[in-house]
Structure formats: structure tokens, C-alpha cells
Amino acid sequence: METRIRTYNRLEPAFGIIRAVGLQTLVVLTGLDARTVRRWAKPKATGGTGGTIPTKYQPAILAHAKRAGLALSEASFFPRDLSRGQRARTQAEPVAA
């Protein structure tokens, strides 16, 4: 019998934010179910968002982080390898619904 090791998707920056804020807290803040929040850290090829957190939830997450004293900022929602110019272009692009 073959033993399969379950691997978890940990795409950043979503995985780090989920870990820092907490899954259940994000469920309450966003009104989403836990499965949907976990999808943020999964690759797009498997039905996830590729490590991105939808823009409409970011203000509530940032406000909570500030109240809770968590070290999150607007930059926390972008991959660390993006330059400042790329971040600005990414923010300016319309998001498909």
C-alpha cells in the first residue's frame, strides 16, 4: 500500500497573512468560510488565487492587524520580489469579478 504525504499549499503572501492573523479570525472578518480563505494560499491551477488576497478584504484585515498589534502593512499583501513600480501597476489594474 502506497503512503501519500499530504502537502499543504503555502503560496505567499496569503499563507503568511493567514498564519499571522489566524484562519478563524479571517473567517469572521470576511464573512467567508474557512475553505474559501484557505484557497488564497493555493495555486490558481488548483482553484486558488495564487497567493493573493482579494482586494476587497484587505482593508478589514489591515484594520484588525492594527488593532491587534500585528506587523502587517499594505506591502504585506504583495510578493516581496515585486519592485515598487510593479506594485503600483498591480494596484492600478482593474480586478475581474
Side-chain angles (χ1 to χ4, degrees), residues 38-97:
R38 279 191 222 103
R39 284 183 49 235
W40 298 345
K42 291 185 175 190
K44 289 182 179 182
T46 61
T49 65
T52 61
I53 294 176
T55 310
K56 69 181 183 177
Y57 302 116
Q58 293 176 10
I61 296 168
L62 282 171
H64 169 77
K66 185 176 181 179
R67 286 190 308 271
L70 301 174
L72 288 182
S73 69
E74 292 171 348
S76 301
F77 292 89
F78 295 96
R80 293 179 192 207
D81 60 346
L82 288 180
S83 69
R84 184 175 296 189
Q86 287 173 311
R87 283 188 204 131
R89 285 193 299 279
T90 302
Q91 288 177 321
E93 293 174 3
V95 178

Side-chain angles (χ1 to χ4, degrees), residues 4-69:
R4 296 187 74 200
I5 298 173
R6 185 174 180 182
T7 58
Y8 295 94
N9 296 299
R10 297 182 175 177
L11 295 182
E12 296 294 345
F15 180 76
I17 292 172
I18 293 168
R19 189 176 56 214
V21 176
L23 179 63
Q24 291 306 313
T25 301
L26 289 169
V27 166
V28 172
L29 288 172
T30 63
L32 300 171
D33 61 32
R35 186 177 183 185
T36 301
V37 173
R38 279 191 222 103
R39 284 183 49 235
W40 298 345
K42 291 185 175 190
K44 289 182 179 182
T46 61
T49 65
T52 61
I53 294 176
T55 310
K56 69 181 183 177
Y57 302 116
Q58 293 176 10
I61 296 168
L62 282 171
H64 169 77
K66 185 176 181 179
R67 286 190 308 271

